[in-house]
Amino acid sequence: IEAGLWGLVKYEKEILQKFNIVDGNKKSKEAFTHGYIQGIISEIGNIKKYETYVPPQDKNRMYLEKRLLDVTSVKNIYEFTYPQILRRARTVDVIWFNVRKMPIAFYEVEHTTDIRTSLDKFYDLQDFRAKFYIVAPKEREKQFENVISSSMYNDIRDLVSFRSYDIIVKQYEKEIISIEGAI
């Protein structure tokens, strides 16, 4: 169904219906994928004991059988900076906050949208001691490399990393295994 989410072919119709994915409808698949990846990133942050945030426009997106609002721990973004910068941060797909309520990681999920838009956000947020991630299908990594190599992104090039969906899912699986091993 998606990276890290499997189902038996004989149950395909039921699974698609359960997750509100219309077979052959690109938009419904993209909406599911975006929310699913946001949920996984939020879950990883929760496991790592960070507070997690998704923007208001995404809080009601579904992550499996839960709303993203129910997966994240920060319901309203912390006021960690000036209003004009906070307005920009408020739209980032997932933010992890440390115990001091400061951002430690910013994630933008880029299924099909323009990577430049996310890099522009990261440019505005570069003064924070945080990591920045573009999360997208593996096929978009070359596109990311081409865009980030532009001279306009010289100041943030070393701060931004690309993570494919598969890498994010593997990280999630690793975190789950570490929890199970600790029990």
Side-chain angles (χ1 to χ4, degrees):
I1 299 167
E2 256 329 308
L5 184 60
W6 302 90
L8 296 174
V9 172
K10 73 179 190 175
Y11 297 114
E12 180 179 18
K13 286 182 180 162
E14 290 92 348
I15 293 168
L16 293 176
Q17 184 177 8
K18 181 178 187 173
F19 295 125
N20 202 25
I21 302 170
V22 179
D23 196 20
N25 183 314
K26 190 176 173 183
K27 290 245 185 245
S28 73
K29 176 88 164 132
E30 287 173 11
F32 171 79
T33 300
H34 197 276
Y36 174 69
I37 297 298
Q38 279 179 287
I40 287 178
I41 294 166
S42 297
E43 293 272 32
I44 294 168
N46 294 337
I47 291 168
K48 291 178 166 284
K49 307 283 190 241
Y50 294 123
E51 294 192 65
T52 55
Y53 165 87
V54 296
Q57 68 268 20
D58 294 344
K59 289 190 185 293
N60 289 318
R61 280 184 190 241
M62 295 305 288
Y63 165 61
L64 300 178
E65 296 176 346
K66 304 178 228 178
R67 294 178 308 155
L68 285 173
L69 174 68
D70 301 324
V71 178
T72 57
S73 56
V74 177
K75 305 312 175 202
N76 295 305
I77 196 166
Y78 294 124
E79 295 191 19
F80 60 89
T81 188
Y82 298 105
Q84 69 272 20
I85 297 172
L86 197 59
R87 274 193 298 278
R88 194 72 151 149
R90 193 173 272 121
T91 66
V92 173
D93 286 328
V94 181
I95 304 173
W96 293 354
F97 290 95
N98 64 22
V99 296
R100 293 175 310 287
K101 315 262 186 258
M102 293 297 290
I104 191 147
F106 295 93
Y107 291 86
E108 278 287 287
V109 179
E110 294 299 342
H111 193 68
T112 57
T113 49
D114 189 353
I115 289 172
R116 285 179 182 85
T117 304
S118 294
L119 292 176
D120 291 348
K121 286 181 196 180
F122 293 165
Y123 187 88
D124 289 344
L125 298 165
Q126 69 180 302
D127 296 313
F128 294 97
R129 192 172 176 183
K131 296 178 181 174
F132 301 91
Y133 297 98
I134 298 291
V135 181
K138 175 76 174 142
E139 306 83 64
R140 295 197 72 195
E141 187 169 12
K142 184 74 171 159
Q143 180 185 12
F144 165 78
E145 294 296 336
N146 289 338
V147 173
I148 196 77
S149 67
S150 171
S151 62
M152 69 187 329
Y153 297 117
N154 283 348
D155 292 344
I156 64 168
R157 186 171 301 120
D158 294 336
L159 304 175
V160 182
S161 300
F162 180 90
R163 294 290 184 269
S164 70
Y165 292 165
D166 291 336
I167 295 297
I168 293 294
V169 168
K170 285 178 185 165
Q171 182 181 356
Y172 176 68
E173 291 168 352
K174 180 180 156 192
E175 298 296 335
I176 293 295
I177 289 169
S178 72
I179 287 175
E180 290 171 352
I183 296 176

